[in-house]
Amino acid sequence: MKFWRQHKDEELDAEIRSHLDEAMHDRIERGKSPDEARINALREFGNVGLVKEVTREMWGWATLKQVAQDLRFGLRMLWKNPGFSLVAILTLALSIGTNTSIFSVVNGVLLRPLPFPDAERLVYFESIKPDRAISDGHISMPDFVDWQSQADAFESITLIYASRIILTGDNAEPEFVPFSVVPVNFFQTMGVNPIMGRTFVKEDRAKGAPPVAIISYGLWQRRFGANPNVLGSPITLGGTPCIIIGVMPAGFDYYPSKIQIWVPLYVSPSGRRDNRFYKAIGGSSRGLRSLERSRSSILSTLDCSSSMWRRTPGGRYG
Amino acid sequence: MKRGYQNRIELLQGTLDLLILQTLQWGPRHGYGISQAIRTGSGEVLQVDTGSLYPALHRLERKKWIKAEWTVSEYNQQVKTYQLTAAGKKQLAAERSNWKRLTAAMAGILNASEGA
């Protein structure tokens, strides 16, 4: 593009030069001296630079050059008024920065899809007290046991309980990491398989069974240096030594904080019904629309005494 | 020929286009030649500014009503010569009839005010 423009410029130069030559020669024909002829021809022509410029405008490229010129002018003016420029730049920087941070949070929390296959089929249970405006998603262990037996609409229902715990052992610094206690069917319900090892089985939570843990991809990379023989290594969680039995794939984490390690949950029907620690997640084989349709039947099936559940499609929290 | 300052008649853009196309009807010319032809053809009345002429020529070339090529002039110089294209000829005919209608209309109004 630049060479074409250069070519056109040179051609225009030549055209105007030839115009002046022709005018000069005409005058010489009529008896003028060469010097006088040249001067008169030039005078009659007018302002060569100006003519070139207005002619170039016809080419339609002047816009780009004009934009560049305007830009340069603007920069000069900014340089001349430092106070104003500073205020303007700071305001811009602040707004851009704020917007960017808000967007990244929203993107991470709301817009990014869940890292589970077929997130559409996961349902997040919430219970709402009719007299309160606030919804509280937590249920208790006895609720969970009931729901497990009652909810036919779902292939499986599972729980999550997230907290933080101290990791020690294996010559590395102690870390305070987010962890989660989950029932045996958790990984199945989510539909994700470990990249190494296995997930929990019923035996793991039997009384007297050796404590086990599943670690996240990030933890494996970071703390164990992506060691391929990490399975069977010990790790101490909150003072309890556990054996690592599996590694989850990268990206398998969920809001609010990135869970690094999972341990099996001991599910029992005992325990207080009002000890609401857990959040339930249901995995359904059916699609979203059929779940919507059978909503009332699900409601009646799930015996929720003082609460009413509101379906929230998988893919969004809240 | 020394000339004093002359009152150059402002030519409307459309009018100049018409003049250029008309001038080229009699054969190809270069920029200087066109301005000379218009000057002498109008009896020294219409003297086209180079600042108007060259943009007009380049605009008409973009519109493909005229096309340019480099030839040798009578003074043995390389000159950029313009000639009418087929589309240009059609355009010339259209503009001539437009001009006729315009001048007839003008005459009608100007003469009518005299008569009545």
Side-chain angles (χ1 to χ4, degrees), chain A residues 87-166:
Chain A
V87 171
I89 290 169
L90 281 178
T91 312
L92 272 177
L94 192 66
S95 6
I96 293 175
T98 319
N99 260 293
T100 312
S101 17
I102 292 178
F103 175 75
S104 355
V105 170
V106 171
N107 184 39
V109 171
L110 291 178
L111 298 175
R112 227 170 19 108
L114 286 179
F116 312 124
D118 232 0
E120 287 289 290
R121 64 172 182 76
L122 291 176
V123 168
Y124 192 50
F125 289 92
E126 291 209 328
S127 35
I128 307 173
K129 275 224 175 103
D131 55 344
R132 280 179 171 203
I134 311 163
S135 74
D136 169 25
H138 296 90
I139 63 170
S140 64
M141 188 70 82
D143 284 340
F144 175 59
V145 174
D146 288 343
W147 285 17
Q148 273 208 308
S149 55
Q150 286 167 1
D152 325 295
F154 297 97
E155 275 180 349
S156 53
I157 300 187
T158 188
L159 291 179
I160 55 173
Y161 171 67
S163 182
R164 285 177 161 245
I165 201 167
I166 300 178

Side-chain angles (χ1 to χ4, degrees), chain A residues 238-283:
Chain A
T240 309
C242 302
I243 310 279
I244 297 176
I245 58 159
V247 182
M248 292 313 287
F252 182 67
D253 50 30
Y254 44 83
Y255 178 81
S257 49
K258 304 203 173 217
I259 305 291
Q260 307 272 354
I261 193 159
W262 293 265
V263 290
L265 176 66
Y266 184 58
V267 176
S268 86
S270 65
R272 297 171 58 124
R273 205 170 270 274
D274 53 356
N275 269 355
R276 296 207 164 89
F277 291 132
Y278 309 99
K279 286 206 126 113
I281 295 178

